[in-house]
Amino acid sequence: MFAVHLVSFWFTKLKEDQIKKVDRFLYHMRLSDETLIDIMTRFKAEMEKGLKKDTNPTASVKMLPTHVRSTPDGSEKGDFLALDLGGSKFKVLRVKVSEDGKPNVQMDSQFYPTPSEILNGSQAELFDYVVDCLDDFMKKRRITEKMPLGFTFSFPCKQTRLDEGELISWTKEYKVRGVQQTDVVNTLRKTLKKNKNTNVEVLALVNDTVGTMMTCGYDDQLCEVGVIVGTGSNACYMENLNNIDLVEGDEGRMCINTEWGAFGDDGALDDIRTDFDYDIDLGSVNPGKQLFEKMISGLYMGELVRLILLKMAKNGLLFGGKVTNALRTKGKIETSHVAAMEKYNEGLYNTRQILLDLGLEPSEDDCIAVQHVATIVSFRSANLCAAALAAILTRLRENKKLDRMRTTVGMDGTVYRTHPQYAKRLHKVVRRLVPNCDVRFLLSESGSGKGAAMVTAVACRLLAQHKQIDKVLDLLHLSDEKLAEIKLRMMTELKYGLKKETHDSATVKMLPTYVYGTPDGTEHGNFLALDLGGTNFRVLLVKIRNRRRRYVRMYNKIFAIPLEIMQGTGEELFDHIVECIAEFLDYMGIKGAPLPLGFTFSFPCKQDRIDKGTLVGWTKGFKATECEGHDVVDMLREAIKRRNEFDLDIVAIVNDTVGTMMTCGYEDPDCEIGLIAGTGSNICYMEEMKNIEIVDGDEGKMCINTEWGGFGDNGCLSDIQTQYDIHVDENSLNPGKQRYEKMTSGMYLGEIVRQILIDLTKRGLLFRGQISERLRTKGIFETKFLSQIESDRLALLQVRKILQQLGLDSTCDDSIIVKEVCGAVSTRAAKLCGAGLAGVVDKIRENRGLDHLKTTVGVDGTLYKLHPHFSRILQETVKKLSPQCDVKIILSEDGSGKGAALITAVAKRFHSQEEEDKS
């Protein structure tokens, strides 16, 4: 027993001695974690260089866009062909993808040898061979129907579309003439046509790495990285499109083929390259290129081991200094030999057999040392691969702005598959280098071929989806001709509202405001203003001064109006308003001062004096009873009397639109139009008195509150109403009313978006076809989300976060579609609003008999002010539809508060002038 232990002890010591000998000789191949982290940092920097337009031409890591914009979502289906060209054998596949309850893939494939004369021949010879093999495959399987095809072409290509690719350079021993700098898809199509094969439609060109990611992505939707460690080595991953300078657009993601094999071609890895690496490079078919690949891939691993053994033997460290011709011969040790040497139980035996085949007579010591050489070479490969992969994972995590990320990496390649220790080592080092990434490694099943079919399947799915989505969004598209029609219809409705015989039946009410002028700069004094128009109510003290320079100072307090008050009785509503006024007067210490008051009441009112306003009908969610048909100024006065604490001089009741016009008119005397584009939508303008048949008098002008939200209530907009508009209208508080407002105002746009999202989800085009309870909830999609989602500065990741806040679990593709829907709804709203405004400015021009009108529009409202594109689209529409009008638009500063005070001041000025005229 003691003897057995003694033998074991000496064997272990012997082994340790041999390992130490090899470690000393290959010291520079052992890489510490600090070195690997440094390499990871270098690779991250190289990736950044490759993505930027100005540095890409000189970058060694080319970061090639693949135009693959989506990974599988499990709903792909169809029958596809795939070609796989890139290794020692060429493969043709038929891939059937079905989705009967769960994803299912059936594959049929055939290998064809690739003779050396083809690898070193001409372009025509290569592609004739490819098409002949494809024809053979189709004939044997009696495939006669037309089928989409994906082409796996495992060489670096410059792509500007998914179905085209210009070969940059050959790798992996390929030397075919006349192919570099040509479009390989175009060449394949021409060869198919020449051979009269019309049953194939080439839809996608992919790299084998991309194929690996797509194959694994079909089984695990978290997969967003593909890595190959085989004859060659490469990686791809899904990059944010806004980071890819080489491709237009910034929405969504695109798979980047890193071509990481060229990492170090600029000298970035010179400090870790050994003499053996330099020898490998000099003896290759492409010296100075693919230096990283030459340190990690299977094409060179066996040769690297051979060179080390040769040098050690020459130095007398192995085989008693003996060197055989076989050991001197390039290619005699292959990567498969390296894998065999490192097998757990059989490694030493395999090592001995391999060395004997080389004509050597190895001792036990030699076998132990040689096995350790193989371990160091393969371990360095795994370490370097892990460092570059860790850089990719870190970039992905940073793109997503996550502290911790869960993801899947699709893996393939003969080294990864067949080497007994490689995968385990790679996984361990990656997890050590990126501890904040939870990484699953998934082995690809026929990645390059099946992957090409999956890319083609995804492309087909996206194409079909986009056709359906475009069909839906086309319903919201308004041509210039249609907008010109809508402008003319608006002008007609404006005229109907002004005429006595048609006023009562008109949908655009054209309500006189009894505001006869805009500010002239002489206004001054202290005024109270009330602002009621939404869920909040404001009381303001406005001080207007005109000494030396004009200025307005305001003090205000905001009060909430609870839903039960909004939809209670009129008496409860006005008692609440007066209670808020009393609190403000106490707060400001002015309860005893009988100040003139302007009341901004942003609901349609019929007026026969400036201080009289009969409510025509509630909008914006208000439903207080016993108000419609009543004078709201009288209701306010009665509520003040009931409280019996103070008295006020109510001079004017005004609409927020009129207030906006007056506020801007104080800054710009040319302002004669006020537009609100916010929760509601409305416009007012200065109309000629002679055209206002429902008011006595022909001299001068009066501001008309159009109440254009009712435009279309007579059916004149039925041709542009969609099923989504109809649903929103039917489920609103006032069905059949305010139809134009329901297509243009902030209160309804979010709800239109929600209806479209529900429809797209029912069709299986969004959210994996699952309608969440949150999505079913009315009002969940507030209009502010449209502004946020459509912001140019907002990355899709943030869009996803907004959707997640709404309880909508979205993919990147979902986020793109939601953004498109929001854009279509808001663009239509802006164009409709612009067409209406064009109708108003053209009417003013016609009123005055002018060839050209110059005017100013005061604008207020959250939709106009906060939405990133609404204002621009509206202005472009007005310019296009009213080319004879020079329309200046200025933003109102608190039209409903300041404007009410200015109207009150102007009314006081007119009243004083009338008194002077009488005396």
Side-chain angles (χ1 to χ4, degrees):
M1 189 71 180
F2 172 75
V4 172
H5 281 298
L6 188 63
V7 170
S8 176
F9 168 77
W10 282 112
F11 180 77
T12 303
K13 190 171 187 316
L14 186 71
K15 190 171 183 179
E16 286 174 357
D17 290 343
Q18 293 306 309
I19 287 171
K20 284 177 183 175
K21 178 175 70 175
V22 173
D23 282 345
R24 282 193 297 273
F25 189 76
L26 297 179
Y27 172 78
H28 291 296
M29 280 194 165
R30 305 296 294 256
L31 302 174
S32 67
D33 277 4
E34 290 76 17
T35 302
L36 292 177
I37 289 168
D38 183 39
I39 292 165
M40 171 179 150
T41 304
R42 295 183 214 176
F43 188 70
K44 264 187 78 183
E46 289 297 318
M47 289 168 71
E48 187 69 24
K49 277 174 67 177
L51 289 170
K52 297 295 178 192
K53 189 177 282 186
D54 53 343
T55 51
N56 176 269
T58 58
S60 56
V61 180
K62 283 302 178 187
M63 304 296 283
L64 301 172
T66 65
H67 295 268
V68 172
R69 295 170 185 263
S70 180
T71 51
D73 70 357
S75 67
E76 290 76 18
K77 53 189 173 184
D79 200 354
F80 307 95
L81 289 170
L83 306 179
D84 181 5
L85 180 68
S88 56
K89 292 179 180 177
F90 170 62
K91 186 162 67 165
V92 184
L93 305 91
R94 181 179 188 173
V95 182
K96 291 184 179 182
V97 186
S98 58
E99 195 245 331
D100 301 321
K102 63 177 184 177
N104 181 39
V105 176
Q106 293 177 304
M107 288 193 297
D108 176 18
S109 64
Q110 185 171 336
F111 282 100
Y112 294 87
T114 311
S116 59
E117 58 267 26
I118 294 292
L119 297 183
N120 296 284
S122 68
Q123 179 195 69
E125 288 168 336
L126 173 64
F127 282 90
D128 280 343
Y129 180 73
V130 166
V131 170
D132 286 345
C133 294
L134 176 61
D135 286 344
D136 176 72
F137 181 87
M138 294 176 74
K139 280 172 186 171
K140 283 178 180 174
R141 287 151 185 83
R142 297 177 183 174
I143 298 171
T144 55
E145 69 274 18
K146 189 157 189 171
M147 291 179 66
L149 179 142
F151 184 14
T152 297
F153 188 74
S154 304
F155 306 94
C157 285
K158 181 181 177 183
Q159 288 186 261
T160 53
R161 290 197 335 227
L162 183 61
D163 63 344
E164 67 177 38
E166 186 180 291
L167 176 64
I168 296 171
S169 61
W170 286 115
T171 56
K172 309 174 194 171
E173 307 289 319
Y174 274 69
K175 288 293 233 178
V176 181
R177 301 182 302 278
V179 183
Q180 288 183 204
Q181 279 69 58
T182 65
D183 178 3
V184 294
V185 174
N186 190 41
T187 306
L188 176 60
R189 283 173 175 155
K190 283 180 178 177
T191 311
L192 285 165
K193 189 175 179 181
K194 183 181 75 175
N195 286 30
K196 295 183 172 54
N197 187 330
T198 57
N199 290 333
V200 172
E201 184 180 8
V202 187
L203 292 185
L205 177 76
V206 298
N207 184 279
D208 54 349
T209 325
V210 181
T212 294
M213 181 189 76
M214 296 298 276
T215 298
C216 294
Y218 187 69
D219 299 317
D220 182 342
Q221 289 172 22
L222 286 176
C223 185
E224 52 192 342
V225 183
V227 176
I228 300 261
V229 190
T231 309
S233 183
N234 195 12
C236 69
Y237 73 103
M238 295 301 290
E239 175 61 79
N240 290 355
L241 201 52
N242 61 344
N243 292 332
I244 309 170
D245 283 0
L246 302 173
V247 177
E248 285 187 15
D250 57 7
E251 300 300 338
R253 300 199 298 171
M254 181 180 286
C255 181
I256 288 291
N257 167 22
T258 66
E259 288 297 335
W260 76 6
F263 178 36
D265 287 5
D266 58 356
L269 297 178
D270 284 357
D271 58 326
I272 66 163
R273 291 176 71 212
T274 66
D275 291 343
F276 306 110
D277 296 309
Y278 282 96
D279 289 343
I280 285 275
D281 181 45
L282 286 172
S284 69
V285 294
N286 54 350
K289 293 181 180 178
Q290 300 295 106
L291 297 182
F292 186 65
E293 184 172 73
K294 287 167 185 172
M295 296 168 82
I296 66 173
S297 79
L299 189 61
Y300 304 96
M301 201 179 284
E303 185 61 10
L304 200 51
V305 168
R306 186 189 70 81
L307 289 174
I308 294 168
L309 299 187
L310 181 62
K311 182 84 174 280
M312 289 182 77
K314 284 181 177 178
N315 288 358
L317 297 173
L318 285 176
F319 318 128
K322 181 185 174 185
V323 176
T324 64
N325 286 334
L327 187 59
R328 287 192 181 95
T329 305
K330 183 179 176 181
K332 280 294 182 178
I333 298 181
E334 299 175 0
T335 300
S336 59
H337 295 141
V338 178
M341 289 177 188
E342 292 191 67
K343 280 196 174 175
Y344 184 63
N345 287 321
E346 307 157 32
L348 281 175
Y349 172 79
N350 292 340
T351 304
R352 181 175 180 78
Q353 291 305 119
I354 291 162
L355 294 174
L356 288 171
D357 288 345
L358 292 171
L360 297 163
E361 297 175 4
S363 67
E364 195 73 33
D365 291 0
D366 290 335
C367 291
I368 292 168
V370 169
Q371 186 185 50
H372 194 54
V373 168
T375 299
I376 288 176
V377 169
S378 64
F379 215 132
R380 184 185 70 155
S381 168
N383 278 338
L384 288 172
C385 187
L389 177 54
I392 290 173
L393 293 170
T394 302
R395 183 173 179 89
L396 267 175
R397 184 181 60 78
E398 289 172 354
N399 282 349
K400 296 179 181 183
K401 295 181 171 56
L402 296 173
D403 294 327
R404 190 169 195 88
M405 179 181 74
R406 183 169 163 241
T407 193
T408 298
V409 178
M411 299 293 307
D412 206 351
T414 50
V415 173
Y416 184 87
R417 280 176 176 275
T418 62
H419 191 287
Q421 311 293 332
Y422 196 94
K424 192 194 303 179
R425 290 169 185 164
L426 176 70
H427 302 171
K428 190 174 181 180
V429 178
V430 167
R431 287 170 179 141
R432 201 164 69 235
L433 294 177
V434 281
N436 47 5
C437 293
D438 299 317
V439 187
R440 180 191 181 205
F441 291 89
L442 185 61
L443 185 62
S444 168
E445 178 199 346
S446 186
S448 51
K450 179 181 171 183
M454 292 314 308
V455 171
T456 310
V458 169
C460 289
R461 168 176 63 81
L462 291 177
L463 186 64
Q465 283 182 350
H466 275 289
K467 280 181 180 175
Q468 290 188 64
I469 292 164
D470 289 345
K471 195 173 179 181
V472 168
L473 298 186
D474 279 348
L475 298 172
L476 299 164
H477 175 71
L478 298 171
S479 65
D480 290 347
E481 293 75 19
K482 181 58 72 176
L483 289 167
E485 274 182 48
I486 291 165
K487 180 190 94 166
L488 294 175
R489 293 178 205 174
M490 175 64 84
M491 291 177 74
T492 300
E493 293 296 318
L494 295 175
K495 290 169 185 174
Y496 281 164
L498 290 172
K499 292 189 179 298
K500 190 175 283 185
E501 66 270 20
T502 51
H503 174 78
D504 289 340
S505 61
T507 55
V508 180
K509 287 299 178 188
M510 304 298 284
L511 303 172
T513 65
Y514 296 87
V515 172
Y516 293 98
T518 52
D520 66 1
T522 64
E523 294 77 17
H524 68 280
N526 295 343
F527 304 88
L528 274 180
L530 309 180
D531 176 15
L532 178 67
T535 54
N536 291 328
F537 168 66
R538 283 192 310 156
V539 187
L540 305 94
L541 173 63
V542 184
K543 296 182 177 182
I544 304 173
R545 301 290 181 267
N546 67 350
R547 299 190 203 97
R548 293 184 187 173
R549 66 183 183 86
R550 294 182 293 167
Y551 74 91
V552 176
R553 184 167 294 159
M554 294 187 292
Y555 309 87
N556 74 87
K557 196 169 174 66
I558 299 172
F559 303 89
I561 299 189
L563 185 64
E564 61 270 21
I565 296 290
M566 288 171 65
Q567 299 184 4
T569 67
E571 190 171 294
E572 288 169 341
L573 174 62
F574 281 93
D575 282 346
H576 178 75
I577 288 169
V578 170
E579 185 182 333
C580 297
I581 295 170
E583 187 179 325
F584 179 78
L585 295 176
D586 281 336
Y587 174 74
M588 296 299 298
I590 54 173
K591 210 167 202 178
L595 296 173
L597 180 143
F599 184 11
T600 298
F601 187 75
S602 304
F603 303 94
C605 283
K606 187 173 182 181
Q607 290 181 257
D608 51 24
R609 282 188 356 214
I610 196 168
D611 62 346
K612 289 278 185 187
T614 302
L615 177 62
V616 175
W618 285 117
T619 57
K620 306 175 196 174
F622 276 75
K623 291 290 274 186
T625 59
E626 298 167 17
C627 293
E628 293 179 1
H630 294 269
D631 181 356
V632 292
V633 176
D634 283 346
M635 294 183 79
L636 177 60
R637 285 181 176 135
E638 286 166 10
I640 291 170
K641 280 180 188 174
R642 280 196 298 275
R643 188 156 186 103
N644 198 27
E645 285 184 18
F646 55 86
D647 199 12
L648 296 171
D649 178 17
I650 305 174
V651 173
I653 178 169
V654 299
N655 184 276
D656 54 351
T657 324
V658 184
T660 295
M661 181 188 76
M662 297 299 271
T663 301
C664 295
Y666 190 66
E667 308 297 332
D668 183 344
D670 289 336
C671 184
E672 53 189 340
I673 302 170
L675 170 66
I676 297 284
T679 308
S681 180
N682 196 12
I683 199 167
C684 70
Y685 71 101
M686 297 303 293
E687 178 59 85
E688 307 294 322
M689 282 291 292
K690 64 186 179 186
N691 293 334
I692 310 171
E693 295 182 6
I694 51 176
V695 176
D696 293 336
D698 289 338
E699 296 300 319
K701 300 174 188 173
M702 181 188 287
C703 180
I704 290 291
N705 168 21
T706 67
E707 287 298 336
W708 77 359
F711 177 40
D713 290 359
N714 59 358
C716 70
L717 294 180
S718 296
D719 58 329
I720 64 165
Q721 263 193 309
T722 67
Q723 66 196 70
Y724 314 110
D725 299 308
I726 293 167
H727 189 280
V728 168
D729 177 43
E730 288 175 349
N731 289 274
S732 67
L733 290 169
N734 54 350
K737 296 180 180 178
Q738 300 294 106
R739 288 181 179 173
Y740 183 65
E741 183 172 71
K742 286 169 184 169
M743 288 191 271
T744 58
S745 77
M747 187 167 187
Y748 300 98
L749 297 189
E751 189 59 15
I752 295 171
V753 168
R754 189 179 73 88
Q755 290 304 320
I756 296 172
L757 299 186
I758 287 173
D759 185 33
L760 293 178
T761 307
K762 284 179 179 175
R763 298 179 190 213
L765 304 173
L766 258 184
F767 308 134
R768 300 179 185 87
Q770 302 298 312
I771 303 177
S772 66
E773 281 306 310
R774 290 281 283 163
L775 189 57
R776 295 180 199 275
T777 306
K778 184 180 177 181
I780 179 185
F781 211 98
E782 297 173 41
T783 299
K784 70 176 181 181
F785 294 131
L786 270 76
S787 298
Q788 292 171 5
I789 286 169
E790 289 187 69
S791 170
D792 293 330
R793 297 186 303 275
L794 203 63
L796 278 182
L797 185 65
Q798 292 163 290
V799 174
R800 287 181 73 180
K801 282 185 178 175
I802 291 170
L803 295 175
Q804 282 166 1
Q805 288 168 15
L806 296 171
L808 304 173
D809 183 21
S810 68
T811 63
C812 188
D813 292 338
D814 290 337
S815 300
I816 295 171
I817 294 167
V818 170
K819 196 164 186 174
E820 286 178 7
V821 172
C822 290
V825 170
S826 62
T827 296
R828 183 187 68 158
K831 287 185 173 183
L832 279 174
C833 205
L837 177 55
V840 171
V841 295
D842 263 345
K843 184 172 191 323
I844 293 173
R845 184 180 61 79
E846 286 182 8
N847 284 348
R848 297 175 192 172
L850 298 173
D851 292 330
H852 191 272
L853 171 73
K854 186 178 179 183
T855 190
T856 298
V857 181
V859 184
D860 204 350
T862 51
L863 187 58
Y864 188 92
K865 286 182 172 179
L866 301 181
H867 191 280
H869 309 300
F870 191 95
S871 58
R872 173 184 55 79
I873 295 167
L874 183 146
Q875 291 178 51
E876 287 171 356
T877 305
V878 173
K879 193 171 184 179
K880 194 175 286 182
L881 297 180
S882 298
Q884 293 167 277
C885 299
D886 182 5
V887 180
K888 177 184 175 184
I889 291 182
I890 58 175
L891 290 178
S892 167
E893 183 191 337
D894 195 12
S896 51
K898 181 178 171 182
L902 283 165
I903 290 168
T904 305
V906 170
K908 281 284 190 184
R909 191 187 83 217
F910 270 90
H911 182 67
S912 299
Q913 287 173 356
E914 286 173 4
E915 291 297 316
E916 286 173 15
D917 291 344
K918 285 179 186 176
S919 60

